[in-house]
Amino acid sequence: MNGIGAPAFHFTAIISEWRRVSKSKQHDPQLSGNIVHAAESAQTFAFSRPPWALSTEQLVQEATVDATRGLSIAEVIIRRHRYGTNQLRAVSKRQLLAILVDQFKSLVILLLLFASALALAFSDVAEGIAILAVVIINATIGFSIEWRATRSMEALRRMARVETVVLRDGRLQKISAEDLVPGDIVKREAGDIVSADIRLLKAAKLQANESALTGEAAPVAKELSAIAEEAPLTDRSNMLYCGTVVTRGTGAGIVVATGRATELGRIAELVATAEPEETPLEKRLESLAARLVKVVLVIALLIAISGIVSGRDLFLSIEIAIALGVAAIPEGLPIVATIALARGMWRMAKRNAVIARLSAVETLGTTSVIVTDKTGTLTENRMTVTELCVANEFLALEDFYTDPSGECSPQETAVKALLRVGVLCNNAALREEASTDTQAVGDPTEVALLLAAARCGVRQAECQRAAPELREIPFEPETKLMATLHADKDRVFYAVKGAPEAILEHCSKQSSSTGDTELRDADRDALLQQAQALGERGLRTLALASKIESDELQEPYRDLTLLGFVGLEDPARPGVAEAIERCRHAGIRVVMVTGDHAATAREIARDTGILDASVTPDLCINGTDLTQLLRDNKVESLSTAQVFSRATPEQKLRLIGHFQNMGDIVAMTGDGVNDAPALRKADIGIAMGIRGTAVAKEAAAMVLQDDEFGTIVDAVAQGRAIYENIRKFVVYLLSCNISEILIVTLATLAGAPLPLLPLQILFLNLVTDVFPALALGVGKGSSILMQQAPRPAHEPLVTRQHWGEILAYGLLISMVVLVAMATAIKLLGFDTQLAVTVSFGTLALAQLWHVFNMRSVPSRFFMNEVSSNPWIWLALALCLVLTVAAVKVESFSSVLSLQDPGPAGWLLIVVMSLVPLLAGGPLRVLMRRMLKNTDA
């Protein structure tokens, strides 16, 4: 009867519900359009209190569901229309066309396009096409490098695309996770991915790995009792959260939130709304471009107007204006900047740092704060036994790595007895002769116990053969205890482990080298302080105890004998302390922000050098205090703290915003889902490539392929070198362009022939400017960069000192060129075309030699980072060949309106072009002294 009647009822209910919805749409036209919006904004019940604060009876009642049968099909349809599908927010993909359009948003590119259009409008086709070619080349390079096939929201959504077991109409069935609705009864077991936020109704030895969401490495044991409303996410042990993984046991519960209303969905919202900051280099180049716009418009307009007013030919006046416009725009700047950044990206890739966005290369060089997660970033994300407390003595585990065949001292015997209990009271499995956790299966804490025992000669297989397990009393969150019973000849051996306070409550004796001694209350207090001492050092502490009974029917937790305590840690990654020390020398502040406990966070911070051993606890702030400090904008406290514990994703996001508001350039490292919003918000997000989740990698601007924190420091050094190189070639390009502006302007004001034609200027800008500048851009940089503090965040790419040098160099080069042209006309009797060739040649060679003026101060004339750069010499050789070809090869010379000046002309060109090189060094020293005196 049920088999026939049930489908009929389902069909009737479905038809009825669809009719009701259809009528609602007809009477309320907004309903249809608002269904999706409602689904996105209300994918959870309006409980009277948070679900973790409700008892299971209250939860079932408020969710209006029968816990023994689940929801009916009709109710599922109603709730799906009310709450929507169990999906995270979708974001639009960045299309190829959008990336292409972005390549033309630079002001410099817009200026070049305008100059090209102006040249074409006056029938100067060759010049117009040449400028347009520059734009196309730059766009092609930028487009090919910046295309990213990464989608942070796609990665988040893939986490939910799994199947789940649900109870509906009294039957268990497997459905897509997207079809879950609030109120569904869901069953989960070890290995399952949790697909929605679930309040537990049943749990049997249930544990979940929530490290990707909370940052805690150890699996979390689950229980059913209600928890305080204000409990942070990490303490809500009666909840299973979307995106986490069940590692042990089984459980069942009610879906209380789906889609965007889940904790994972909230992170998805933060990732989608945390807009990435524009990088410092982008800001500086845009600022520089804005200045160039003003220079171009004002100078070109004034010269054109003055020419027309003075009666000069209209076309000639416009031609001069175009020449000035072309001279004022460093056509090579976008190309050289793009290639220099790309070169840096490739260098970093060889060092296991994969860059997703070109400008992120430079951003690392300006970083003043690195905000780092703890688990998996500073630590190895695995539990390891490091310390023991046996017979009131604290012992290092490594001191007991023994040969099992060797003789044992009384202390070693006690340690092995302790570890034997840890092996027997254990559900993990360790392969024979295994020495790493990659060869083990099970709970990380239990795996750590097996590895520690194996290293001390206590083998799992031998222990199990000697004492076969009879039964297990599973771990219960309420008791915080676990026991296993084993056959021991004609008796039963009870192996017990648990929280120190819980074990001590049930112990009547303590094991020692001289035998078992009775425990008094004072002894228990002293032992508890020993356990707390391990916890204060950042160790997770377990107590181990045992007893022998005549049978397995005895109370397992009565009259136990304490064997000792085990301290476990998630150890710091090798090389992290050295990397953080390098950061300190480079003036970079390293801040740890983690969801873990304060004691653990503080200990790892001390191990890695983030905190000095003598630092006060005031420099460590927990999540509760952090919220208040952020709300009150307590700048001093936030600026001095080095460690933030029990922090939520929202707090990480706000903390990064605080640092950015204080003027810092922030790099954020992380590997978990909980890090994704902060990775996106930071000036540069850095994800771990091996242990990192797909969400973290998709949200980051840089991925470390080797998960080494030291790789970040190498990337910082590379970023600083790139910025120094960019500044050098910007100074070089601008000083060359300023010299061209002054040459044309001064000649025009003097009524002399135009020394340079627009197409000649464009040739110089693309040949004698670009190749040396490109060689500067790919240099290795100075060796002392990582001994200097980061540049101020507000410092412009070209400072007042650099502008002074640019103007001085430009004036020096322009005067040399004008003198050379005048000499050619007055002394050598050259006509205008030959004189223009002399000015062209002098300027070309002077700009080539000028690259050596870009050496650092102080440095030697012949031995410096510029002269030792092989790319510089290659660029000079290439440019010399092209310059000579422009004059000697007829096809080139006819287009550029040049003529071979003969030996006398070439001698004049070479001699005059060397003047800026010889005078450049003294001139820069003089300019810096003048600026220093002015500032004083």
Side-chain angles (χ1 to χ4, degrees), residues 491-511:
R491 295 180 297 176
V492 176
F493 181 78
Y494 286 67
V496 183
K497 74 169 184 271
E501 63 275 13
I503 290 283
L504 285 171
E505 184 180 345
H506 298 283
C507 286
S508 59
K509 290 177 288 186
Q510 177 187 7
S511 176

Side-chain angles (χ1 to χ4, degrees), residues 637-830:
S637 298
L638 295 174
S639 298
T640 55
Q642 299 293 103
V643 178
F644 298 88
S645 62
R646 310 300 278 175
T648 65
E650 294 93 336
Q651 288 174 330
K652 289 185 180 182
L653 201 62
R654 292 184 61 192
L655 192 60
I656 286 176
H658 165 78
F659 288 136
Q660 289 173 333
N661 292 337
M662 295 299 295
D664 286 306
I665 302 300
V666 183
M668 165 70 192
T669 71
D671 62 349
V673 175
N674 59 322
D675 297 321
L679 288 171
R680 183 172 173 83
K681 174 65 176 175
D683 293 291
I684 179 167
I686 307 168
M688 301 294 128
I690 299 175
R691 298 181 182 270
T693 61
V695 182
K697 295 176 189 176
E698 300 288 343
M702 185 174 85
V703 178
L704 303 182
Q705 296 289 67
D706 56 2
D707 282 12
E708 293 292 338
F709 193 88
T711 304
I712 300 174
V713 187
D714 292 336
V716 169
Q718 186 64 35
R720 291 191 177 187
I722 288 172
Y723 193 87
E724 180 186 49
N725 292 339
I726 289 176
R727 176 171 275 172
K728 284 181 180 178
F729 75 62
V730 166
V731 171
Y732 174 76
L733 286 174
L734 290 183
S735 57
C736 291
N737 285 72
I738 289 294
S739 68
E740 294 163 2
I741 293 173
L742 292 174
I743 289 169
V744 174
T745 302
L746 294 175
T748 301
L749 294 177
L754 198 60
L756 297 168
L757 300 179
L759 200 55
Q760 294 171 356
I761 295 174
L762 184 61
F763 176 86
L764 292 172
N765 285 356
L766 295 180
V767 175
T768 59
D769 286 5
V770 169
F771 290 112
L774 184 56
L776 285 172
V778 297
K780 292 183 179 180
S782 174
S783 59
I784 63 170
L785 287 174
M786 289 301 288
Q787 302 298 321
Q788 301 171 348
R791 296 179 310 278
H794 61 274
E795 182 179 278
L797 179 64
V798 182
T799 64
R800 189 162 69 97
Q801 173 182 299
H802 295 118
W803 279 114
E805 293 175 3
I806 288 169
L807 292 174
Y809 285 139
L811 183 61
L812 175 61
I813 294 173
S814 64
M815 295 305 298
V816 167
V817 171
L818 292 176
V819 169
M821 183 179 182
T823 302
I825 294 174
K826 300 294 185 181
L827 298 182
L828 300 181
F830 284 3

